[in-house]
Amino acid sequence: MQNLILGIESSCDDTSAAIIKDDVILSNVIAGQDVHRNFGGVVPELASRAHQQNIIPVIHAAIQKANIGKNQLSAVACTQGPGLLGSLLVGTSFAKAFSLGLNIPLIDVDHLQAHILSHFIRNADRTNPVPTFPFLCLTVSGGHTQFVLIRDYFDMEVIGQTIDDAAGEAFDKSAKIMGLPYPGGPVIDKLAKLGDPTRFTFSKPNIPGLDFSFSGLKTSILYFLRDELKANPDFIENNKNDLCASIQATIVDMLISKLAMALEVTKGLHPRGNLPDVAIAGGVSANSGLRKALEDARDNFGWNIFIPPIQYSTDNAAMIAIAGYFKFLKGDFGSQSATPYARAGNRST
Ligand code: KG4
Ligand code: ZN
């Protein structure tokens, strides 16, 4: 029998719904929220209000695009956390009501696990390769930067992470310093394509082991620009592309050099002593510089890499639907009394 699952994502500022048929996506609808643009960041109160406006049309569109009827659904899966509580409440409340109304199971999904499990979404012909357990994933988003060792779909261990800002924050805060619009990551990526990545150098912190620190980079950029602007008020405007290219190259270099270290550490865990498969996930995995650096590592060092399609890199409900599918197969269902959680590791059922 084929299972049809509705996935819902509302952890931050994207309202998204997807329909999955077993592990093949039939539809993935995403409504962004322009309302935050003028504030230079996500305003939680405005985000929950926009989710309330978007959720019904988005779910309706996902069901229509998938060309199914809601009565055919086997289950509804929804992000439980981590994320903004007000935003999460909109998705989880809808999912609870939907599961009650249709008398189908409710499935709680962890947003970070879902980013990783997006690698198991299959093409319509199911020919695309998926990672082999155990594999290593660098999860890089607006709120998290983690090395995760994945032994099985839901057996995941964080083996390194940022001690302050996330990689996405490093992009967004650097962009803000330069007066670029929010979210800064995609803007820096776009301008970086026109610039020279070797033009400026920014200091990189020396953090032991597999942990990261990105807050120093922001300070280094801030002081550098403050000094340059004293001499030339148009410094940013005149050097925007090179600044973006250099900032992106610095962040990517920090990520890739630690990734090489993480692969060496996890080599021993692989049954054949080989380097494990290596995946990237989360919004920053959409970055063209990071994707290219990973492709270079594949070509030069034989890394077996997994890069998610762009539509599954940034927040989306397809990843919630695939995580929901694997939980559905296990019979791992949520409860009507479960409450959303804001931070990773603070789950309640
Ligand atoms: O996973 P995500 O969509 O939301 C969270 O779970 O946080 O990640 C959002 C982050 C933001 O910081 C955004 O600037 C960054 O991902 N991002 C990018 C790119 N696209 C999104 N950063 C660099 N380059 C991109 N192309
Ligand atoms: Zn995310």
Side-chain angles (χ1 to χ4, degrees), residues 9 11 111 115 141-142 282-283 313-315 319:
E9 155 64 29
S11 66
H111 182 87
H115 267 303
S141 70
S313 295
T314 46
D315 286 350
M319 67 186 198

Side-chain angles (χ1 to χ4, degrees), residues 145-227:
T145 298
Q146 299 181 330
F147 285 122
V148 187
L149 180 67
I150 299 102
R151 296 193 178 85
D152 208 323
Y153 298 112
F154 298 101
D155 183 359
M156 302 188 184
E157 185 188 349
V158 176
I159 58 169
Q161 59 189 318
T162 180
I163 56 169
D164 41 55
D165 289 352
E169 274 177 291
F171 273 105
D172 296 341
K173 287 180 178 176
S174 306
K176 198 169 181 176
I177 295 170
M178 287 192 289
L180 299 174
Y182 181 87
V187 182
I188 290 190
D189 192 355
K190 196 168 154 213
L191 298 178
K193 291 192 176 111
L194 310 168
D196 174 3
T198 61
R199 174 88 189 283
F200 305 109
T201 46
F202 301 103
S203 59
K204 294 177 202 145
N206 201 0
I207 306 293
L210 300 182
D211 288 337
F212 295 96
S213 166
F214 287 102
S215 67
L217 177 64
K218 176 190 61 193
T219 316
S220 159
I221 294 168
L222 191 68
Y223 289 161
F224 171 75
L225 291 179
R226 187 193 57 187
D227 294 345

Side-chain angles (χ1 to χ4, degrees), residues 189-267:
D189 192 355
K190 196 168 154 213
L191 298 178
K193 291 192 176 111
L194 310 168
D196 174 3
T198 61
R199 174 88 189 283
F200 305 109
T201 46
F202 301 103
S203 59
K204 294 177 202 145
N206 201 0
I207 306 293
L210 300 182
D211 288 337
F212 295 96
S213 166
F214 287 102
S215 67
L217 177 64
K218 176 190 61 193
T219 316
S220 159
I221 294 168
L222 191 68
Y223 289 161
F224 171 75
L225 291 179
R226 187 193 57 187
D227 294 345
E228 294 293 338
L229 285 168
K230 270 186 209 152
N232 172 12
D234 295 328
F235 181 80
I236 295 178
E237 202 46 51
N238 295 346
N239 298 284
K240 209 177 252 176
N241 297 342
D242 290 346
L243 281 166
C244 287
S246 303
I247 291 167
Q248 179 168 299
T250 309
I251 297 172
V252 169
D253 191 55
M254 284 163 72
L255 293 171
I256 291 286
S257 52
K258 283 273 170 163
L259 187 51
M261 205 191 274
L263 270 174
E264 274 308 312
V265 171
T266 48
K267 191 177 175 177

Side-chain angles (χ1 to χ4, degrees), residues 276-340:
D277 289 352
V278 52
I280 52 172
V284 179
S285 69
N287 184 263
S288 60
L290 179 59
R291 295 165 90 92
K292 168 81 171 52
L294 216 62
E295 284 161 2
D296 289 348
R298 174 195 57 203
D299 298 344
N300 298 331
F301 309 118
W303 291 8
N304 198 25
I305 60 165
F306 289 85
I307 299 176
I310 293 281
Q311 71 270 26
Y312 303 147
S313 295
T314 46
D315 286 350
N316 67 88
M319 67 186 198
I320 307 304
I322 186 77
Y325 168 67
F326 290 124
K327 282 200 161 186
F328 183 80
L329 293 184
K330 289 204 312 172
D332 183 355
F333 301 141
S335 101
Q336 287 285 336
S337 60
T339 48

